[in-house]
Amino acid sequence: MSNRLKNEKSPYLLQHGDNPVDWYPWGDEAFKKAADENKPVFLSIGYSTCHWCHVMAHESFEDEKVAELLNKNFISIKVDREERPDIDAVYMSVCQALTGAGGWPLTIIMTPEQKPFFAGTYFPKGSRYGQPGLTDILIQVAALWQTRRKELEDNAEMIIDAIVRNGREESGISGTPDKSILAKAYTMFQEQFDRKWGGFGTAPKFPTPHHLLFLMRYAEVEKAPEALKMVEITLEAMARGGIHDHIGGGFSRYSTDKQWLVPHFEKMLYDNALLLWTNAEAYRITRKELYGAVARDIADYMLRELADGGFYCGQDADSDGVEGKYYVFTPEEVKAVLGDEDGEEFCYYYHITDRGNFEGKSIPNTIGNPAEDISDLERHKIWKKQLYDYRLERTRLHKDDKILLSWNAWAIIALVRAGDILGEPSCLEAAVRTKNFIEEKMIDGNQRLYLRFRDGEAANAGQLDDYAVYALALLELYQATFEIEYLSLAVLRAKQMRELFEDREKGGYYMTAFDGETLISRPKETYDGAIPSGNSVAVMVLQKLALLTAERTWQEAAERQMRFCAGEIQRYPVGYSFALMALTMAFYPHRELVCAVKERIPEELKQYVSQYGADDISVLVKTEKNEEELLKYAPFTAEYPVPETEPAYYLCENGTCKMPVTSEVVKTWILGNNPDIL
């Protein structure tokens, strides 16, 4: 038996296509049906690699009795949060307001007018341990809808009023940004830091790589070694833990314990992209091979497991319905693959024991091993490859094969940074391929972006994150290659971002475009959660364009956004670490460099930028071929003539420009890596 989800493209919706529940996808048909039949709407939001979404599906949505209750009394709607982050954001805010918590699966019951009166997350089929069961909730709500419907509708109206009022109040906050915000955030990170195991707070622990990126930035601009130490402790602990897949590479979504040993096993593209950037940046600053090796490991994982034109969303936590089954081993399994002697050594090094560390089996890890890391020895690489091949045959791992534009843009940024820092051309090549995929497959006839591509179909209007992160990715590609096409496209996407999403009255950027689908509220997300928010990325994009082009339009837009974000940040600075990174570009000395050259871009220029740090300097390259196009975006470059022979470099700092210098001086900067030379 199939329901209405059978023809959808979302892997999450397709997972529920054979449920006995008469699911509808989000759309007018479902809400009209609910209104015509006077039924409340049961809304379930999740994603295909979510463990607890699977649990609730198996317990309840595959159950005939639960399906009977839903089909008789409700109109049921399934939403993939990754395809419709706007719907998820609206109703997650309701859940958090009503319950003080959130997560997935997200369970909402609402009127046919989309107004919620009940919210929660995972519910077991029947009541247990003091937690209400889904069947009990459905029976009670169905009865209340028949006997006290007016009360439910009044409650829904009050909830909507509160959500809209709260959004209005938050949108009205602005502030004057200054360095004290950065220091306050740093102090809060110090207070929350786990000095033994790294990370912030207690279990469960999330990687939140943008926290670490901010701390590395703070360490550099404020000469604060303690900030860098926090990053190093965290990255090493994560690299040793079970959250790191020592066999196949990459990192899981979070750790259930404080020492990063037992993960929630799903792997997400965005986590791995941001961790790739973070480890590469740590390698640039410290030159410690551990971080370079981990960065290469993540890049290899992404390119091997997730790349197909663009990058897939991620891989499941479950195999054959069992969480973590794909990743864990017994000593007998390892020895059967590697032989007794090699297997014994491998088990000893990666802590694979008879007792196990996860439900009787072992998650490979190197926690507590000597400081010297020997996991990159040739024999270890061979053993890992053998176990990886065995693991592939032993059990299947579901892959969410849809391609999300904003997540792919994060992958581009990470690959560009890592390729630059590690000297790995394959990373930049993969970034360019991904950009080309987006341009070919995920843009409509009006040059607007689509949010998702799968199975030959691009769908869903792009949202703020898609425009902001993609604009940032294009700027990264420009700084790595100096090809004018990337700057041109970055300017286009940034202009669209402002036109479609900016709130010119109260500041900040809405999640959805002004002409997008109307929901019960129009969210304006600012908090940097698992991924930096679109508003934080917008600050970075606008500030980079302001510095790069010296155009007043971008400077004013950047200042507006910085004031908006400063107001938000004052509440809880550590929740806005990516926005804080962008603010450092305004608070600390920044250098601009224009290279005027007849034809070929000098190699030493690329070396200088990658070694010096891409956030400390903005570079434009003017050639005979691109000078007319460049004038559109950076009119000030008209004053820099293209020389007939040697390249000329024009340096500016804090609004003051110096006389042009030659390639030999730039080579000196590279060799000395000394910012004071400027």
Side-chain angles (χ1 to χ4, degrees):
M1 176 182 173
S2 297
N3 54 46
R4 290 171 180 80
L5 303 184
K6 64 181 179 180
N7 295 320
E8 294 295 310
K9 296 291 187 183
S10 158
Y12 178 62
L13 268 55
L14 289 171
Q15 285 175 348
H16 295 79
D18 291 322
N19 289 170
V21 177
D22 187 16
W23 291 113
Y24 285 76
W26 179 276
D28 292 341
E29 182 187 2
F31 293 108
K32 185 177 185 305
K33 180 84 168 172
D36 290 346
E37 297 186 4
N38 283 321
K39 290 181 178 178
V41 172
F42 178 86
L43 172 65
S44 178
I45 303 176
Y47 57 104
S48 79
T49 58
C50 166
H51 170 68
W52 286 104
C53 298
H54 298 327
V55 173
M56 193 165 177
H58 296 321
E59 287 181 346
S60 297
F61 302 142
E62 294 173 7
D63 183 86
E64 295 288 347
K65 291 183 179 178
V66 174
E68 184 180 353
L69 281 171
L70 284 168
N71 296 341
K72 180 181 178 182
N73 302 301
F74 300 84
I75 299 301
S76 301
I77 297 177
K78 261 288 174 196
V79 168
D80 183 336
R81 67 168 294 263
E82 295 170 352
E83 289 205 348
R84 291 300 305 267
D86 52 336
I87 296 171
D88 179 60
V90 166
Y91 291 103
M92 186 61 74
S93 69
V94 171
C95 184
Q96 290 168 335
L98 293 181
T99 70
W104 300 277
L106 177 60
T107 303
I108 300 288
I109 305 179
M110 58 187 179
T111 70
E113 295 75 37
Q114 304 179 18
K115 298 176 180 180
F117 54 82
F118 177 87
T121 54
Y122 162 78
F123 293 100
K125 177 187 171 184
S127 300
R128 65 187 185 204
Y129 313 127
Q131 183 180 16
L134 183 62
T135 51
D136 302 317
I137 293 168
L138 296 176
I139 291 168
Q140 187 176 3
V141 169
L144 289 172
W145 187 258
Q146 294 300 320
T147 60
R148 297 163 65 181
R149 178 173 173 176
K150 181 70 166 57
E151 287 181 42
L152 294 180
E153 291 176 332
D154 289 346
N155 286 339
E157 289 293 343
M158 286 190 289
I159 291 167
I160 295 299
D161 288 346
I163 294 296
V164 171
R165 186 170 58 252
N166 185 54
R168 236 186 254 124
E169 290 170 358
E170 289 185 355
S171 294
I173 295 172
S174 64
T176 302
D178 60 57
K179 287 184 182 179
S180 67
I181 296 178
L182 307 179
K184 187 177 177 182
Y186 174 53
T187 300
M188 292 181 76
F189 276 124
Q190 284 182 305
E191 291 168 353
Q192 296 176 12
F193 183 62
D194 181 338
R195 299 196 171 275
K196 181 174 182 181
W197 297 108
F200 304 93
T202 58
K205 280 184 178 175
F206 290 80
T208 47
H210 35 292
H211 290 353
L212 306 180
L213 287 167
F214 163 71
L215 287 169
M216 283 189 281
R217 182 82 177 129
Y218 190 84
E220 287 195 300
V221 296
E222 281 291 334
K223 305 295 186 288
E226 177 63 26
L228 182 59
K229 186 178 179 182
M230 287 194 280
V231 173
E232 292 204 64
I233 291 171
T234 303
L235 289 181
E236 181 171 347
M238 286 178 57
R240 289 177 174 274
I243 191 173
H244 180 199
D245 180 1
H246 292 264
I247 305 299
F251 284 77
S252 295
R253 185 164 169 255
Y254 66 86
S255 174
T256 61
D257 58 78
K258 63 183 179 181
Q259 60 181 339
W260 308 100
L261 172 61
V262 179
H264 184 55
F265 288 91
E266 68 193 69
K267 288 181 181 175
M268 310 303 293
L269 172 62
Y270 61 79
D271 281 323
N272 282 282
L274 288 163
L275 282 168
L276 170 58
W277 179 3
T278 305
N279 278 278
E281 189 69 9
Y283 177 73
R284 181 186 70 80
I285 294 170
T286 68
R287 291 293 153 179
K288 292 184 179 178
E289 188 48 45
L290 170 65
Y291 309 129
V294 171
R296 289 185 179 91
D297 167 270
I298 298 170
D300 288 345
Y301 161 72
M302 288 170 56
L303 292 169
R304 183 182 65 249
E305 299 277 356
L306 301 179
D308 183 16
F311 286 90
Y312 295 151
C313 284
Q315 292 174 302
D316 210 333
D318 297 10
S319 296
D320 303 328
V322 179
E323 184 179 14
K325 180 179 178 181
Y326 180 79
Y327 295 100
V328 294
F329 290 90
T330 63
E332 291 71 24
E333 282 181 294
V334 173
K335 290 174 187 176
V337 176
L338 303 183
D340 287 345
E341 187 176 337
D342 290 349
E344 188 73 36
E345 183 178 341
F346 188 91
C347 288
Y348 176 77
Y349 190 79
Y350 290 97
H351 305 177
I352 297 169
T353 64
D354 291 324
R355 182 180 179 183
N357 53 37
F358 179 74
E359 298 181 359
K361 294 188 177 182
S362 295
I363 304 164
N365 70 93
T366 60
I367 297 171
N369 283 12
E372 182 187 7
D373 181 19
I374 62 169
S375 63
D376 62 345
L377 291 178
E378 199 57 39
R379 66 178 186 276
H380 280 248
K381 292 178 182 177
I382 293 170
W383 294 340
K384 288 179 183 179
K385 178 64 168 63
Q386 289 175 300
L387 288 168
Y388 174 78
D389 291 341
Y390 164 73
R391 198 172 69 173
L392 286 174
E393 297 298 323
R394 182 181 61 179
T395 184
R396 290 183 58 79
L397 192 65
H398 164 71
K399 193 177 291 185
D400 188 319
D401 61 354
K402 67 179 180 289
I403 292 168
L404 298 177
L405 197 149
S406 64
W407 294 13
N408 273 256
W410 284 120
I412 292 172
I413 294 166
L415 288 164
V416 170
R417 290 284 181 117
D420 223 17
I421 293 166
L422 301 173
E424 295 283 355
S426 61
C427 288
L428 179 58
E429 290 164 8
V432 171
R433 284 197 303 272
T434 306
K435 170 262 171 190
N436 290 340
F437 181 91
I438 290 170
E439 292 293 323
E440 291 167 12
K441 305 288 188 183
M442 303 187 73
I443 296 173
D444 70 15
N446 296 315
Q447 285 299 300
R448 299 270 289 262
L449 301 176
Y450 284 113
L451 189 149
R452 181 269 287 160
F453 181 90
R454 184 179 184 272
D455 195 21
E457 178 194 78
N460 300 334
Q463 299 183 11
L464 172 61
D465 283 30
D466 301 297
Y467 286 84
V469 187
Y470 188 42
L472 184 58
L474 290 163
L475 288 172
E476 292 290 335
L477 280 167
Y478 176 73
Q479 291 287 266
T481 65
F482 306 115
E483 292 181 15
I484 194 71
E485 172 203 2
Y486 299 128
L487 179 59
S488 173
L489 286 171
V491 169
L492 169 65
R493 298 309 170 196
K495 282 182 176 178
Q496 289 178 318
M497 178 183 80
R498 288 173 48 208
E499 292 163 2
L500 296 171
F501 304 99
E502 188 176 11
D503 181 350
R504 295 298 293 268
E505 183 183 343
K506 295 182 177 178
Y509 287 74
Y510 290 109
M511 192 175 185
T512 55
F514 72 89
D515 57 356
E517 180 183 350
T518 302
L519 302 174
I520 57 171
S521 67
R522 191 179 177 197
K524 190 189 287 182
E525 290 201 319
T526 56
Y527 185 80
D528 293 334
I531 313 177
S533 73
N535 271 284
S536 290
V537 180
V539 190
M540 182 79 79
V541 168
L542 296 169
Q543 184 64 13
K544 279 182 175 283
L545 279 171
L547 292 166
L548 200 58
T549 68
E551 280 290 88
R552 187 170 183 79
T553 303
W554 295 119
Q555 291 167 349
E556 291 173 349
E559 287 166 9
R560 284 196 304 273
Q561 185 64 357
M562 280 191 283
R563 286 194 298 272
F564 171 77
C565 285
E568 297 288 319
I569 292 168
Q570 290 287 2
R571 302 164 179 264
Y572 186 61
V574 295
Y576 303 88
S577 50
F578 199 81
L580 293 173
M581 283 178 60
L583 293 182
T584 63
M585 299 174 68
F587 297 157
Y588 295 90
H590 188 88
R591 297 167 177 90
E592 297 82 43
L593 178 64
V594 178
C595 172
V597 61
K598 192 172 180 66
E599 289 183 48
R600 191 177 63 83
I601 298 167
E603 195 58 39
E604 66 263 16
L605 180 60
K606 295 179 181 179
Q607 291 176 329
Y608 175 65
V609 174
S610 65
Q611 187 169 336
Y612 187 63
D615 295 321
D616 286 310
I617 187 163
S618 301
V619 182
L620 285 172
V621 175
K622 179 179 179 179
T623 67
E624 275 190 339
K625 187 177 179 181
N626 75 21
E627 61 180 328
E628 190 174 330
E629 182 79 2
L630 186 61
L631 280 173
K632 297 178 187 176
Y633 316 118
F636 78 93
T637 57
E639 305 302 319
Y640 301 90
V642 175
E644 286 296 321
T645 54
E646 278 284 297
Y649 295 90
Y650 298 85
L651 280 164
C652 305
E653 183 179 4
N654 298 329
T656 303
C657 296
K658 303 181 186 298
M659 295 298 290
V661 298
T662 64
S663 295
E664 290 304 314
V665 177
V666 176
K667 288 175 183 175
T668 302
W669 300 338
I670 296 168
L671 292 171
N673 195 18
N674 186 356
D676 296 331
I677 290 175
L678 294 172

